[in-house]
Amino acid sequence: MNTTFITRLTRAMLPVALLAMTAGWQVPVQAATNCAGGTCVFGGTGNDAMTNEEARQSKEQWNETQRLRAMKNQRNEKDFSKYDNSIDLRDKCEASQNINAYWEPNTERCLDRRTGRQLMAP
């Protein structure tokens, strides 16, 4: 009878003990999280100066690479627009009614055969 009581008590207390252990584990983990300034650092007490400095440097590097990527994308868009505009100008020059107009591929301009000057509106 004594073993039956202990077995039943163990079966009843096991889920409660697991739940208490899980809840007890979550509190220190959440306290160790330092999410100041948008960069989360995990581990320790969260007040470690070296960890905070590493997180700041990592965030700074991320921001710098993000800025450089944005500049590169803007440059690519600008180059594409320039290329796209030159194609449009070439098409207009070739479709021009002016028989003296020709497209100069090196300078990417529409020129007059007689004078060599650039045509403003082909």
Side-chain angles (χ1 to χ4, degrees):
M1 180 156 142
N2 194 12
T3 57
T4 309
F5 175 72
I6 292 174
T7 306
R8 287 184 183 169
L9 182 64
T10 305
R11 286 185 186 164
M13 292 303 290
L14 186 62
V16 174
L18 289 174
L19 184 63
M21 190 172 62
T22 305
W25 176 76
Q26 286 293 326
V27 172
V29 169
Q30 290 179 356
T33 303
N34 179 10
C35 289
T39 304
C40 293
V41 178
F42 299 96
T45 61
N47 295 326
D48 188 28
M50 192 62 171
T51 306
N52 290 340
E53 179 63 20
E54 288 171 358
R56 186 194 62 76
Q57 288 177 355
S58 174
K59 182 179 178 186
E60 213 172 80
Q61 182 180 5
W62 172 259
N63 289 342
E64 186 65 22
T65 56
Q66 188 177 18
R67 188 181 67 81
L68 290 174
R69 277 191 215 112
M71 286 173 54
K72 185 176 179 182
N73 289 342
Q74 287 175 349
R75 179 66 177 205
N76 288 343
E77 287 176 15
K78 188 188 235 183
D79 288 345
F80 180 76
S81 295
K82 183 178 174 182
Y83 175 74
D84 199 30
N85 287 340
S86 84
I87 289 176
D88 290 342
L89 288 173
R90 184 189 69 202
D91 291 343
K92 286 180 184 177
C93 185
E94 290 173 354
S96 175
Q97 296 294 322
N98 187 347
I99 59 171
N100 291 322
Y102 77 99
W103 179 254
E104 173 62 35
N106 293 336
T107 59
E108 295 183 344
R109 294 185 303 171
C110 188
L111 302 176
D112 187 347
R113 290 183 201 279
R114 293 174 296 163
T115 63
R117 293 186 180 174
Q118 184 174 357
L119 296 175
M120 294 299 163

